[in-house]
Amino acid sequence: MTRNVFRRILITLTLGLIIGSGMAFFAPGSKAAIQQTSEVADSKQQLIDIVLKPKSQSDLDSFVYHSVDPTSRYYRKFITPKTFANRFGQRTTKITKIRQYLHQHHLKASVYGGNLVMVVKGSTKNIENAFKVHLVNVHDNGLTYQKSKGAPKLPKSISKSVYAVFGLSTYSPFSTTQSLIKPASFYTAAQSNSSQPAKYSPQKFVRRYNLGSLYANGSSGRSKTIGIISFANFHPNDVYRYWDGEGINTKNNRLSIYRTNGYKGTWDGYDETTMDVEQAGAIAPDANIKTYLAQSNITGMVNSIAAAAGQNAVDALSLSWGQSEAQVAYEIKQGITPKKYNQILNLLFEQAAAQGISVFTASGDNGAYDGIATGMTNGLSVDTPSNSPYVTAVGGTTLPKTYTVNKKKVTITKERAWGSEFLYPNYKHQHFFSRLDMIQSYFSGGGGGFSKYNGVPKYQAGVSGVGTYDATKLWTFKKGQPTLLKKPQTISGKRSGRNVPDISANADPFTGYSMFITPKKNSGSKGEWEVSGGTSVVAPQMAAASVLMADNSVGRLGFWNPQIYRFARSSDSPFTPLDSRSNNTNLYYTGQPGKLYNQATGLGTVNFTKLEKAFNG
């Protein structure tokens, strides 16, 4: 029996809350915070990154698109990291000069495959001397992190080869213990029964989106590998127990873990990693799963992506963690995130695309208001890295279900955009444990909207619905505090920027998927079955579906987006647009009747039987 109680297990709030008629948060560096600094020990070991400039950004951009264009001579002629380094990465002679300079300052350096990211290790004193900075510890409203006073500088003889230097700040925007950003799934419903809850099986994803024909044709993910980017450890036995419950007869060595920069790992957010691995392995039962674990900060994120691309061992990559563009803008202003962070991620995702690796990211679980729980969002915002034009951003839907709302039956009759607005009458009478609980209930939905950092990519240009929007405004914001409007406002308009998401699938925790998990400090306990939701469930499912389709192709499928937007315009499109104007919102954006695209669900849901034929036909 399902207990109809949702619990938050990924968030430990350390920010101050103002509890009143509005909702507001104190963030690091805000006027309400008291900030102090102290010296970083000279002997403390540091790890920073030097991002190297590509030889020709325009040539790289061109190749990425040609690699998935059937009319191009480069179609699916994906390259290796070595070839990427020779054609697009920084020259070896330039890298040698940088190494020599660092060696003079007693620093060690290594470069990931592809020649885009150099990792530098050494003491605080030597880092400060080499990069002409001063490192301090910041004690800010209960948070402690390292920060650089002054921008890093390198000699002109080598700085021309450098795109950016970062890692001098240890601020952790992805840390669940800091409540500054959360993985895209943060709702779970505990299951009291000890066996697999069948109606929440990932087979629901298989049946709903027509993957059955792929299995019938022999696809299983054999000889393929799915990469999972995460920041927390997991118990492998939980995953094997889950697959056993699904009736999957799997090999004992299909799991591997790469600890980026030797990271030992944390258990904060371990259920996110567990869920990602379980879902990916259930959809592609014979695929190998390689998990990249790193520190929950910008350096960890970039290094894990660089490692995955540099090793070139995975055919598809799933990333369920992120932060809002509003949060990134704040961090850049505070000097704790590099100004070129967006471009750095795009560059690494382009390397993955050039090598044929398909990348899938979760678009977020706060509807059109990504990051609202951090207090950084004063309105509409999308998630990063889903805002990158070089990833397939996965949004959320909810499935047909009947609810009791304020003692009345509310029935969702067909699949629609995931948004919680139909439950609002119930929330008015519900007791919340905290203001954060309230926000997570009211602002629950699939992420989507327009990027402020990336322009409209070529593959979206000219697609009906891209750049235009229909919306139902439910909230107004004043000084960061949301207020629910008494009467919703109907709005239509135009906006520029990369449109998010690209595709969608069931992500609502009320219609979610099972997972099995044991306590983080007791893997030998009985454990429990739970139901989880969020777009972070769908990202690994999509990555798994990608390797299933690649089973019947020559090699890899590569960068999805230019291909799927082309397929969407065909007479036999593999996508079902959720274009209804009513009862179909991610808390702001709705469907656009008769158009192929909307910012609530992207191109819509996928018929994988048709999509496999489109990719491999």
Side-chain angles (χ1 to χ4, degrees):
M1 177 181 292
T2 302
R3 286 189 293 164
N4 201 16
V5 177
F6 283 87
R7 61 187 178 90
R8 193 179 71 253
I9 62 178
L10 297 179
I11 301 171
T12 302
L13 185 64
T14 59
L15 302 179
L17 296 179
I18 299 177
I19 299 178
S21 58
M23 308 176 209
F25 299 82
F26 292 148
S30 67
K31 293 181 180 179
I34 300 174
Q35 187 176 102
Q36 298 177 331
T37 62
S38 61
E39 295 296 316
V40 178
D42 284 348
S43 60
K44 180 182 177 182
Q45 292 300 299
Q46 302 285 341
L47 186 153
I48 69 171
D49 281 350
I50 297 177
V51 180
L52 306 166
K53 290 181 180 178
K55 287 189 182 74
S56 172
Q57 184 67 61
S58 60
D59 287 348
L60 175 57
D61 296 345
S62 178
F63 179 79
V64 165
Y65 276 87
H66 283 310
S67 71
V68 289
D69 180 356
T71 66
S72 170
R73 62 190 179 97
Y74 295 111
Y75 180 55
R76 291 190 179 175
K77 292 183 179 180
F78 305 121
I79 57 179
T80 65
K82 183 177 180 179
T83 302
F84 182 93
N86 291 334
R87 293 179 60 178
F88 305 114
Q90 186 50 250
R91 290 178 174 82
T92 303
T93 54
K94 298 292 186 181
I95 292 175
T96 300
K97 287 184 178 181
I98 298 174
R99 283 181 185 271
Q100 291 172 344
Y101 173 78
L102 296 172
H103 182 71
Q104 291 171 8
H105 288 82
H106 311 290
L107 299 173
K108 296 181 180 180
S110 59
V111 182
Y112 289 109
N115 284 8
L116 291 180
V117 177
M118 174 181 286
V119 179
V120 182
K121 297 179 181 180
S123 69
T124 298
K125 182 179 180 179
N126 292 333
I127 289 289
E128 288 180 330
N129 289 335
F131 293 91
K132 307 297 185 283
V133 294
H134 180 208
L135 301 180
V136 296
N137 292 315
V138 179
H139 311 281
D140 190 353
N141 199 37
L143 302 176
T144 298
Y145 57 92
Q146 179 181 290
K147 179 181 176 180
S148 169
K149 284 190 174 181
K153 297 179 181 179
L154 290 168
K156 289 184 179 180
S157 60
I158 60 176
S159 62
K160 293 180 180 180
S161 306
V162 174
Y163 197 58
V165 175
F166 68 97
L168 297 168
S169 170
T170 59
Y171 183 70
S172 300
F174 307 104
S175 172
T176 57
T177 60
Q178 301 293 339
S179 192
L180 297 177
I181 189 65
K182 301 160 294 301
S185 171
F186 48 77
Y187 292 101
T188 58
Q191 293 291 308
S192 59
N193 56 315
S194 59
S195 61
Q196 167 77 305
K199 73 175 182 176
Y200 296 110
S201 164
Q203 285 300 310
K204 177 167 56 178
F205 179 87
V206 171
R207 293 189 297 269
R208 180 129 201 127
Y209 304 115
N210 294 306
L211 279 96
S213 63
L214 277 65
Y215 299 123
N217 289 335
S219 297
S220 63
R222 63 190 182 279
S223 73
K224 302 293 183 183
T225 300
I226 302 168
I228 305 290
I229 301 287
S230 196
F231 300 118
N233 291 317
F234 68 101
H235 297 307
N237 287 341
D238 289 354
V239 177
Y240 286 114
R241 171 69 178 85
Y242 181 80
W243 292 334
D244 286 343
E246 274 291 293
I248 298 172
N249 184 17
T250 185
K251 55 188 179 182
N252 293 327
N253 61 345
R254 70 184 299 209
L255 293 178
S256 62
I257 298 174
Y258 179 82
R259 297 189 179 277
T260 306
N261 304 128
Y263 181 57
K264 294 182 179 179
T266 178
W267 289 95
D268 295 320
Y270 79 110
D271 46 352
E272 174 65 45
T273 311
T274 303
M275 179 182 65
D276 287 2
V277 176
E278 288 178 350
Q279 290 296 320
I283 300 300
D286 285 335
N288 293 318
I289 312 291
K290 186 167 187 176
T291 306
Y292 293 81
L293 300 182
Q295 289 185 326
S296 56
N297 55 33
I298 300 300
T299 308
M301 169 77 85
V302 168
N303 284 358
S304 279
I305 297 171
Q311 294 170 2
N312 203 32
V314 302
D315 302 282
L317 192 63
S318 173
L319 207 164
S320 291
W321 299 68
Q323 55 183 330
S324 70
E325 285 191 340
Q327 175 82 20
V328 172
Y330 168 80
E331 292 167 11
I332 290 174
K333 186 176 180 180
Q334 294 296 314
I336 50 185
T337 290
K339 293 181 180 179
K340 293 183 178 179
Y341 177 58
N342 179 72
Q343 294 95 317
I344 292 168
L345 289 182
N346 286 345
L347 184 59
L348 290 175
F349 289 135
E350 280 196 273
Q351 180 184 347
Q355 296 170 192
I357 301 172
S358 306
V359 182
F360 303 87
T361 61
S363 68
D365 293 355
N366 292 134
Y369 303 94
D370 194 74
I372 189 171
T374 67
M376 297 296 172
T377 300
N378 290 321
L380 304 173
S381 185
V382 298
D383 193 81
T384 176
S386 283
N387 66 341
S388 172
Y390 298 102
V391 303
T392 301
V394 183
T397 68
T398 187
L399 301 181
K401 185 179 175 68
T402 297
Y403 301 82
T404 299
V405 180
N406 198 17
K407 299 182 179 181
K408 295 182 180 179
K409 297 290 185 181
V410 176
T411 300
I412 304 302
T413 59
K414 60 183 180 180
E415 188 167 9
R416 49 152 285 182
W418 174 30
S420 58
E421 87 291 344
F422 59 89
L423 296 174
Y424 282 7
N426 189 49
Y427 293 154
K428 291 180 180 179
H429 304 279
Q430 183 171 322
H431 173 73
F432 294 98
F433 295 104
S434 69
R435 186 62 64 175
L436 187 59
D437 280 328
M438 182 182 293
I439 286 179
Q440 289 172 344
S441 295
Y442 275 99
F443 290 90
S444 176
F450 298 87
S451 172
K452 294 181 180 179
Y453 282 93
N454 296 296
V456 177
K458 289 193 294 184
Y459 53 79
Q460 286 189 328
V463 175
S464 64
V466 170
T468 63
Y469 68 89
D470 286 341
T472 299
K473 185 177 181 180
L474 302 171
W475 297 89
T476 185
F477 287 78
K478 186 175 182 180
K479 296 182 179 179
Q481 300 185 31
T483 300
L484 185 62
L485 297 174
K486 292 182 179 180
K487 185 177 180 180
Q489 299 175 5
T490 300
I491 301 172
S492 296
K494 297 180 179 180
R495 284 190 65 185
S496 60
R498 193 268 207 256
N499 287 225
V500 178
D502 298 302
I503 52 177
S504 293
N506 173 39
D508 186 346
F510 282 108
T511 58
Y513 298 94
S514 60
M515 66 180 291
F516 180 81
I517 196 165
T518 54
K520 58 185 178 183
K521 293 183 179 180
N522 186 9
S523 62
S525 72
K526 184 179 179 180
E528 66 179 2
W529 291 95
E530 298 178 352
V531 173
S532 57
T535 53
S536 61
V537 177
V538 192
Q541 289 175 332
M542 289 293 178
S546 182
V547 300
L548 287 179
M549 292 185 290
D551 261 357
N552 294 324
S553 70
V554 179
R556 296 171 172 174
L557 297 183
F559 180 27
W560 269 36
N561 291 10
Q563 303 177 85
I564 64 175
Y565 279 85
R566 184 174 69 249
F567 301 156
R569 297 183 181 190
S570 69
S571 59
D572 191 25
S573 171
F575 305 104
T576 301
L578 304 183
D579 62 352
S580 175
R581 185 68 175 84
S582 61
N583 300 316
N584 184 41
T585 174
N586 73 338
L587 307 182
Y588 185 78
Y589 298 105
T590 70
Q592 300 186 73
K595 296 184 178 181
L596 296 179
Y597 183 91
N598 64 72
Q599 297 76 27
T601 56
L603 295 173
T605 58
V606 185
N607 180 323
F608 283 101
T609 296
K610 288 186 176 182
L611 186 59
E612 193 272 339
K613 290 180 180 178
F615 271 123
N616 299 319

